[in-house]
Amino acid sequence: MSVPDLETVPFRLLKREVEYEIREVESYYVAETTMPGRSGFDFNGSSQSFNVLASYLFGKNTRSEQMEMTTPVFTRKGETGGEKMDMTTPVITKKSADEDKWKMSFVMPAKYGPDLPQAKDPSVTIKEVPSKIIAVVAFPGLVSDDDISKRESRLREVLQKDTQYRVKENSVVEVAQYNPPFTLPFTRRNEVALEVERLGGIS
């Protein structure tokens, strides 16, 4: 599995097991939109959401004109003035606990902090994701709803045996995809994550 050389969410590795690892993730900001359709990884729905967020990231925001991007994944180069933000990784997809909808998020460059422009598209929201502890499983290949469901179930199962961490109540699965669409499936890096909490007395 390969990961592009792009800015990503900083974290500290707390524990590594055979099937998963535990990370403490620092807070970060995302641009987020709800994905259309019932399937989280339906090609048309995910492509539409990706394009909406990419439009925000690459110019469709309150500080710049909409500008053509030279590549859909890694970076955006503009020929006119305006606010340009570097592409980051991963793209995170999350299923809401209270609705049958998926939300796609782009991680924002850390240099902006809370000083991010608002999106011109009302379907895009900017929010801070607080620091948290997560259990993560990495895997290659293409992502499907069925595959994610099976990997989430397996992660929950193995975490029941963990003596230091447990799945946090109401934790919903998060899927991180690190590679651009043209990446060969067997070299892609994907991750399934669940938020966890320490059991009493564990530091």
Side-chain angles (χ1 to χ4, degrees), residues 54-119:
S55 292
Y56 162 73
L57 189 69
F58 296 125
K60 195 175 179 182
N61 56 65
T62 53
R63 292 187 198 161
S64 69
E65 300 174 4
Q66 185 173 359
M67 296 176 283
E68 182 182 358
M69 53 186 178
T70 57
T71 173
V73 178
F74 291 105
T75 189
R76 158 75 168 70
K77 291 188 181 297
E79 297 178 357
T80 59
E83 187 77 11
K84 168 190 160 304
M85 288 180 281
D86 296 329
M87 186 66 177
T88 58
T89 183
V91 175
I92 298 171
T93 311
K94 179 172 67 175
K95 194 169 186 179
S96 302
D98 58 348
E99 58 182 56
D100 192 26
K101 290 288 186 182
W102 288 83
K103 293 185 177 182
M104 181 180 284
S105 303
F106 276 17
V107 178
M108 295 292 98
K111 65 182 181 182
Y112 287 90
D115 186 31
L116 286 160
Q118 293 301 305

Side-chain angles (χ1 to χ4, degrees), residues 8-41:
T8 190
V9 178
F11 68 87
R12 182 166 65 98
L13 182 64
L14 300 179
K15 181 180 182 180
R16 177 173 285 136
E17 296 289 346
V18 174
E19 291 193 60
Y20 63 94
E21 62 184 38
I22 304 292
R23 302 174 186 169
E24 185 172 29
V25 182
E26 295 181 15
S27 63
Y28 56 95
Y29 285 84
V30 297
E32 183 175 83
T33 191
T34 299
M35 299 174 69
R38 295 180 63 85
S39 172
F41 297 94

Side-chain angles (χ1 to χ4, degrees), residues 156-173:
R156 288 182 182 274
E157 180 183 336
V158 295
L159 284 169
Q160 289 178 354
K161 302 173 184 177
D162 196 295
T163 59
Q164 295 175 287
Y165 299 91
R166 65 183 173 199
V167 178
K168 199 169 184 179
E169 188 176 359
N170 298 324
S171 176
V172 293
V173 68

